[in-house]
Amino acid sequence: MSKLEEILAEKILILDGAMGTMLQEYKFTEEDFRGDRFKDWPVSLQGNNDLLSITQPEAIATIHKKYFQAGADIVETNTFSGTTIAMADYQMEELVDELNYESARIAKQVATELTEANPDQPKFVAGAMGPTNKTASMSPDVNDPGFRAIFFDELRLAYRQQAKALIKGGVDILLVETVFDTLNAKAALFAIDELKEELQVDIPVMISGTITDASGRTLSGQTAEAFLISVSHIPLLSIGFNCALGAKQLTPHLEVLAYKTQYGVSAYPNAGLPNAFGEYDESPDEMAIQTKEYLEKSLVNILGGCCGTTPDHIKAIANIAKDYKPRPIKSLQHKKASA
């Protein structure tokens, strides 16, 4: 068992909160996004948060450090849109290797510094692999249901490139997150499996879907159980849900995973549901109290926050989680027994 798996069997690990929410506080302008290197780039770059790992690396490092200091055991790299598919919006496909490598390097450097300062509380980095802005199982054109804007092999190659750069940059985990289309996620998992064999590495994999509405389904129409079944052929560190819902609304879907999977379960919900202005109002204490239900029911092994969450939210969640034992993980128990 890896050090990460050993710790996961003993305690509930805390994941960080929202990168985007923290970056908004900086109020970066178009010029800030561009920096000197991209000052003559032909299209607007404001909003390309992944690029800030190159143009504003100190801000990214500071955010990671704040989350670690708030109690996070794992931070996610600033690579949610770090594929050639998503970067095409900014004509930056050629920068994908550098964006992922630099993002991983920054996060790993912060994690290493804090781990060396306090070896009893090791810090880890998860390479964030977002869903891209295209879906492989549905048509974006209601008048042409057979049309596809992206295909499995295109996604596989894009995710393979991203994952390889993240591994090179030093991540401890690969996190396929905010899955709204399981076919996209399966392409990512297939690519990771290929890379593991090619590089001879056994990097742990987390996968996190997103329930998009009150029906309890992903955007591509799967229930929590269907999502679980669709990806359980791959050895996972954890499976869970993030985004879209607040902590309270996510509970029944986590129950399905917790009762049916042999793997760890993760949850990083939003700070409540967005208000009329798209903002998240739930306070750290309010959110932490709601996540307490996960802990009392022994539903989770990894717990953090998504949209609207800050280091204060993570600190409040960590303070509650430390008093609870993690949910037993059958896959790790079997691995330990086989060792």
Side-chain angles (χ1 to χ4, degrees), residues 9 36 39 47 115 120 136 141 292-293 297 315 321 327:
D36 289 335
K39 63 181 179 180
T115 300
D120 293 334
D141 184 354
K292 192 174 181 180
E293 185 176 2
K297 292 182 176 180
K315 184 177 182 179
R327 169 185 162 275

Side-chain angles (χ1 to χ4, degrees), residues 97 101 129 159-171 174 190-205:
D97 285 337
Y101 175 81
M129 301 173 67
Y159 278 126
R160 182 189 176 96
Q161 181 181 4
Q162 181 181 29
K164 192 170 186 176
L166 288 169
I167 292 170
K168 186 178 179 183
V171 301
L174 289 174
F190 190 89
I192 291 168
D193 224 28
E194 284 185 322
L195 267 182
K196 281 185 174 184
E197 188 172 343
E198 176 192 324
L199 302 176
Q200 292 296 296
V201 296
D202 190 21
I203 190 165
V205 178

Side-chain angles (χ1 to χ4, degrees), residues 4 12 24 60 62 73 83 89 112 125 139 146 161 163 186-187 212 238 247 250 275 280 285 294 297 318:
L4 177 64
I12 294 166
Q24 286 173 11
I60 303 302
T62 298
D73 300 292
T83 58
D89 287 351
T112 300
V125 175
S139 171
Q161 181 181 4
K186 287 171 82 74
T212 53
S238 69
L250 201 57
N275 61 26
Y280 297 87
D285 289 340
Y294 304 168
K297 292 182 176 180

Side-chain angles (χ1 to χ4, degrees), residues 172-305:
D172 305 292
I173 309 159
L174 289 174
L175 168 58
V176 181
E177 66 164 328
T178 322
V179 176
F180 58 76
D181 184 345
T182 310
L183 190 56
N184 286 36
K186 287 171 82 74
L189 294 172
F190 190 89
I192 291 168
D193 224 28
E194 284 185 322
L195 267 182
K196 281 185 174 184
E197 188 172 343
E198 176 192 324
L199 302 176
Q200 292 296 296
V201 296
D202 190 21
I203 190 165
V205 178
M206 297 170 62
I207 186 166
S208 183
T210 185
I211 299 293
T212 53
D213 57 41
S215 72
R217 293 175 182 268
T218 64
L219 187 65
S220 54
Q222 286 190 312
T223 61
E225 184 173 5
F227 172 63
L228 170 64
I229 292 168
S230 294
V231 298
S232 289
H233 61 292
I234 295 285
L236 299 170
L237 183 71
S238 69
I239 182 168
F241 289 117
N242 72 289
C243 204
L245 302 178
K248 187 175 183 180
Q249 294 85 5
L250 201 57
T251 305
H253 312 301
L254 290 174
E255 288 177 334
V256 172
L257 297 183
Y259 300 153
K260 294 181 180 291
T261 186
Q262 63 174 321
Y263 302 123
V265 173
S266 69
Y268 51 114
N270 293 342
L273 297 175
N275 61 26
F277 302 100
E279 298 168 342
Y280 297 87
D281 301 323
E282 203 162 83
S283 72
D285 289 340
E286 288 171 334
M287 185 175 180
I289 288 169
Q290 290 181 34
T291 61
K292 192 174 181 180
E293 185 176 2
Y294 304 168
L295 304 168
E296 291 172 342
K297 292 182 176 180
S298 193
L299 301 181
V300 296
N301 304 94
I302 301 172
L303 186 56

Side-chain angles (χ1 to χ4, degrees), residues 2-3 44 70 97 111 121 168 196 208 223 258 320 333:
S2 69
K3 182 66 174 177
S44 174
D97 285 337
Q121 295 181 4
K168 186 178 179 183
K196 281 185 174 184
S208 183
T223 61
I320 287 181
Q333 291 172 339

Side-chain angles (χ1 to χ4, degrees), residues 86-107:
M87 280 296 141
D89 287 351
Y90 302 99
Q91 300 177 22
M92 286 191 155
E93 296 95 324
E94 292 183 1
L95 283 166
V96 162
D97 285 337
E98 184 181 358
L99 285 170
N100 284 280
Y101 175 81
E102 284 301 313
S103 294
R105 185 191 62 77
I106 291 166

